Amino acid sequence: MKAFSSPSPDAHRRDLEDWIDSVARLTEATDVRWCDGSPEEWRELRDAMLRDGELLPLPPDRPESYLHRSHPNDVARVEHLTYICTSSRDDAGPNNNWMDPKEAHSKLDGLFRGTMRGRTLYVVPYAMGPLSSPATRFGIELTDSRYVVANMRVMTRMGRAARDAILAGAPYVRGEHALGGLDPERRFIMHFPRENRIRSIGSGYGGNALLGKKCHALRIASWQAREEGWLAEHMLLVEIRSPEGRVDYVAAAFPSACGKTNLAMLQPPVGYEGWSVRTLGDDIAWIHPGADGRLWAINPEAGYFGVVPGTSAKTNPNAFRTIARETIFTNVALTAEGEPWWEGLEGGRPAVDWQGRPYDPQNGPAAHPNSRFTVPARNNPAWSPHSDDPQGVPLTAILFGGRRARLAPLVYEAHDWVHGVFVGASVSSETTAAATGAVGVVRRDPMAMLPFCGYHFGDYWAHWLKIGRALAHPPRIFHVNWFRQNPQGEYLWPGFGENLRVLRWILDRCHNQRTAVETPIGKLPRPEDLDLKGLSVSEEAVRELLCVDPGLWAEEIEDLATYLNRYRPRVPVELQDLCARLSDTLRQQARMPSAGSRSSPDS
Ligand code: OXD
Ligand code: MN
């Protein structure tokens, strides 16, 4: 790896150089290396990591794949140590931890000081989005972690082209990352939206350390998006082609562990052979109003950083094939033959757990439940070439969803954009104790953005409303729940590939080809509106899946109103009014005597 020649003396370059110099001086880095993203650079980096045990080789049947083991105290995002630093606390909102920027910088200066003594500071220029897209944004991450460089190389368009664009004057986000001994007491992930700057110390884990992802593409980008009139969302992006050749693009936001990757990589079920479902993105979508009055979306990322456990040829064949090569596994177990192993994988047995200890079930799962794969998106057999379209793809529908055992029906459609924003604001998910089937705690996670929105949620919802008001052809908004259970705690819907049946109804609705039934919470299909051919779901289960219980919903809306009140006075009045009206209607319905106390669309 060689350093690039020194930049020409214009102000932009000087600024950039001064910044890198100041970080190198503060951290006392021994040397500074620009990354160019070339194969030679990767080989050199990889060989050095293999030499030092930072990467472990995997058998040759997994070409170009490696295992990395994190420090056991550093295996997940740390929401309680993640801050938005704005001069006014109100701008960050109750949905974020806040620190005054001056105080934050002085704390971080102390923590960064001397952390790279004897170490190399890597300069990682990257693009979020296809290089030729007007929606694309740039960043530079400074880091002393080779694992971060290796991951950024996969997750972003990293290297020479991004560097050239930045040197030519493109604005960029400044990211500073130091491992800092991985001390949880000295760990902070801080965002300075007014400075386009991120400073992260004390963690080498994905979302804390790969600054292009959650930090840049969601927290900083959501702030920029509000100022510039677009949306930076925690959404998958998927292309669906019907046998008649109709092509639709759908964006969907679900909280963690609700099947975003599975939906993005959906394999059409038996009977849907003429359909094609292709992936554009599994985690983040940047969405812009187009001149044609529609919303257009790009996936700013170039790779997947997905949860490994549960991935199998049965649950997600596309993901399974995607990670067969060129994959960095983080914190999975190994078999006696040295093959990667995780819970949910069919076949094989763990011999060594994710910490490198002989496997002992007493120590918990063999693979860490948050173990990850990092892999280029292009490895996905269902990768959509439209992922590289500079203008993005036009959205037919936006989906919100969560994991609700008893409450939300399989699918419902928002009445209009404002109601859709309300539906997004109501996103929530339950934890379930799988062994007992007991229903757990509800976590409210509006638009699945709770850990990722870089500003006050009240302002965020107002921004969503404003975007919608300007659209001549807004996508329709739906809510889905693949996780509805019967009173015995059994799932009523098979999920996975069969979800295409629900998407089919959704898309037909968008093309005005299906009717729906009005309920207070939105429009629902009748059982006969869903294509259930060849599916062994009982009529009773379907009725249950499409049932809206006004009593439960009245309680839900009350709980939601209490939650929204936390964001007053910035909650848009439209949402408050909607909440109040819906609450009245549901309460009235819930008080109706016997027969009317449960309303389902076919009753
Ligand atoms: C992720 C997350 O890792 O949302 O994508 O937690
Ligand atoms: Mn995510």
Side-chain angles (χ1 to χ4, degrees):
M1 239 178 304
K2 61 178 189 317
F4 287 116
S5 53
S6 54
S8 80
D10 67 31
H12 185 74
R13 286 187 177 208
R14 256 200 321 274
D15 231 38
L16 168 56
E17 284 232 305
D18 288 350
W19 168 58
I20 297 171
D21 281 352
S22 70
V23 176
R25 249 183 286 116
L26 176 66
T27 57
E28 299 174 38
T30 302
D31 63 343
V32 174
R33 286 186 159 208
W34 276 84
C35 296
D36 63 11
S38 66
E40 302 77 50
E41 173 183 87
W42 164 237
R43 279 197 290 274
E44 188 188 325
L45 196 67
R46 176 204 59 192
D47 291 348
M49 292 171 81
L50 284 168
R51 233 179 2 253
D52 299 346
E54 206 172 340
L55 288 183
L56 302 173
L58 291 173
D61 61 321
R62 293 197 170 259
E64 275 294 315
S65 296
Y66 307 93
L67 169 65
H68 171 80
R69 292 196 182 116
S70 309
H71 192 285
N73 78 23
D74 185 33
V75 291
R77 286 187 290 101
V78 283
E79 288 175 22
H80 64 296
L81 301 173
T82 300
Y83 285 72
I84 300 295
C85 306
T86 44
S87 46
S88 151
R89 180 192 282 265
D90 270 354
D91 289 340
N95 45 308
N96 282 301
N97 300 313
W98 173 85
M99 201 180 289
D100 177 76
K102 266 207 207 88
E103 184 190 340
H105 280 311
S106 115
K107 188 186 250 321
L108 289 166
D109 285 348
L111 294 173
F112 271 87
R113 187 158 294 124
T115 48
M116 297 190 195
R117 217 169 288 148
R119 299 174 64 77
T120 297
L121 169 64
Y122 294 93
V123 181
V124 184
Y126 63 88
M128 299 308 294
L131 280 151
S132 57
S133 170
T136 288
R137 297 305 167 94
F138 296 92
I140 294 182
E141 175 164 358
L142 308 181
T143 180
D144 62 344
S145 161
R146 294 180 296 194
Y147 170 77
V148 165
V149 178
N151 277 269
M152 286 292 284
R153 184 179 159 270
V154 176
M155 295 304 298
T156 72
R157 281 119 172 135
M158 181 271 254
R160 200 174 283 269
R163 178 209 63 172
D164 290 348
I166 292 167
L167 291 182
Y172 60 97
V173 169
R174 296 177 173 193
E176 297 159 34
H177 169 254
L179 292 171
L182 302 178
D183 180 351
E185 299 299 316
R186 297 162 66 82
R187 184 174 292 164
F188 285 103
I189 324 298
M190 305 252 199
H191 304 73
F192 302 85
R194 288 244 177 261
E195 301 168 46
N196 274 345
R197 188 167 172 198
I198 305 155
R199 303 183 77 185
S200 162
I201 181 136
S203 168
Y205 171 79
N208 305 326
L210 311 178
L211 301 186
K213 194 175 180 62
K214 305 297 191 182
C215 300
H216 177 163
L218 287 174
R219 299 196 191 95
I220 296 288
S222 61
W223 180 287
Q224 294 177 330
R226 178 182 46 158
E227 294 197 326
E228 298 167 10
W230 51 284
L231 297 165
E233 298 300 322
H234 189 206
M235 290 180 175
L236 66 90
L237 204 50
V238 70
E239 172 191 308
I240 302 166
R241 190 180 293 261
S242 76
E244 300 78 41
R246 189 180 78 192
V247 183
D248 290 295
Y249 297 95
V250 174
F254 309 152
S256 299
C258 292
K260 250 175 47 243
T261 305
N262 287 341
L263 186 62
M265 298 188 181
L266 182 149
Q267 181 104 351
V270 175
Y272 276 69
E273 284 72 22
W275 291 71
S276 135
V277 178
R278 298 196 293 187
T279 318
L280 287 107
D282 75 327
D283 197 40
I284 298 174
W286 284 358
I287 304 173
H288 290 254
D292 61 358
R294 295 189 289 177
L295 282 181
W296 291 72
I298 64 160
N299 168 18
E301 298 191 283
Y304 310 130
F305 182 69
V307 174
V308 185
T311 307
S312 75
K314 231 190 233 150
T315 57
N316 191 334
N318 285 325
F320 194 69
R321 283 166 66 195
T322 303
I323 61 176
R325 62 195 160 96
E326 295 174 302
T327 302
I328 300 171
F329 290 93
T330 301
N331 298 335
V332 295
L334 291 176
T335 65
E337 294 74 38
E339 290 284 349
W341 191 93
W342 54 87
E343 278 71 16
L345 181 70
E346 288 157 331
R349 271 209 317 233
V352 174
D353 75 4
W354 64 277
Q355 297 190 53
R357 304 171 298 191
Y359 173 60
D360 177 351
Q362 305 264 17
N363 290 332
H368 190 278
N370 193 33
S371 51
R372 297 280 175 154
F373 54 76
T374 315
V375 68
R378 278 172 191 268
N379 280 19
N380 177 358
W383 179 78
S384 166
H386 295 293
S387 306
D388 278 338
D389 285 359
Q391 78 279 16
V393 294
L395 294 181
T396 302
I398 290 176
L399 273 48
F400 292 112
R403 185 182 279 273
R404 298 301 301 258
R406 298 287 145 70
L407 183 81
L410 179 62
V411 58
Y412 63 95
E413 179 186 337
H415 296 298
D416 53 28
W417 182 269
V418 176
H419 183 222
V421 175
F422 177 81
V423 169
S426 76
V427 167
S428 55
S429 218
E430 285 156 4
T431 53
T432 53
T436 61
V439 174
V441 187
V442 173
R443 170 176 147 120
R444 299 225 157 262
D445 189 356
M447 277 83 168
M449 282 286 277
L450 180 60
F452 307 122
C453 182
Y455 61 101
H456 196 297
F457 258 157
D459 296 339
Y460 171 70
W461 299 320
H463 178 56
W464 263 81
L465 293 175
K466 186 170 162 199
I467 291 279
R469 273 194 295 274
L471 292 176
H473 308 289
R476 292 207 205 174
I477 298 178
F478 296 79
H479 187 279
V480 295
N481 176 24
W482 316 131
F483 303 98
R484 183 106 172 212
Q485 295 175 12
N486 65 15
Q488 290 74 47
E490 295 156 343
Y491 288 113
L492 290 163
W493 181 250
F496 299 105
E498 306 298 348
N499 292 337
L500 185 53
R501 297 170 188 271
V502 178
L503 293 174
R504 184 180 189 175
W505 180 79
I506 286 172
L507 295 175
D508 282 350
R509 283 290 304 159
C510 295
H511 295 287
N512 297 316
Q513 289 169 350
R514 294 279 172 124
T515 52
V517 178
E518 297 280 350
T519 80
I521 66 158
K523 298 172 190 176
L524 269 75
R526 291 162 305 184
E528 59 270 32
D529 291 327
L530 290 174
D531 171 30
L532 303 172
K533 251 191 291 4
L535 200 60
S536 59
V537 178
S538 70
E539 273 180 38
E540 193 192 338
V542 176
R543 264 200 307 277
E544 182 79 25
L545 278 163
L546 298 177
C547 171
V548 177
D549 181 325
L552 280 184
W553 270 97
E555 282 169 28
E556 163 74 5
I557 297 302
E558 251 152 63
D559 188 63
L560 177 63
T562 308
Y563 179 74
L564 294 182
N565 280 342
R566 293 180 54 193
Y567 299 96
R568 279 185 168 198
R570 299 201 188 192
V571 184
V573 66
E574 291 97 317
L575 299 192
Q576 292 180 46
D577 287 353
L578 226 156
C579 205
R581 277 203 309 276
L582 188 49
S583 174
D584 284 349
T585 311
L586 287 163
R587 274 214 215 100
Q588 268 170 23
Q589 282 205 3
R591 281 201 212 103
M592 285 196 305
S594 57
S597 66
R598 270 169 93 79
S599 80
S600 77
D602 60 342
S603 66

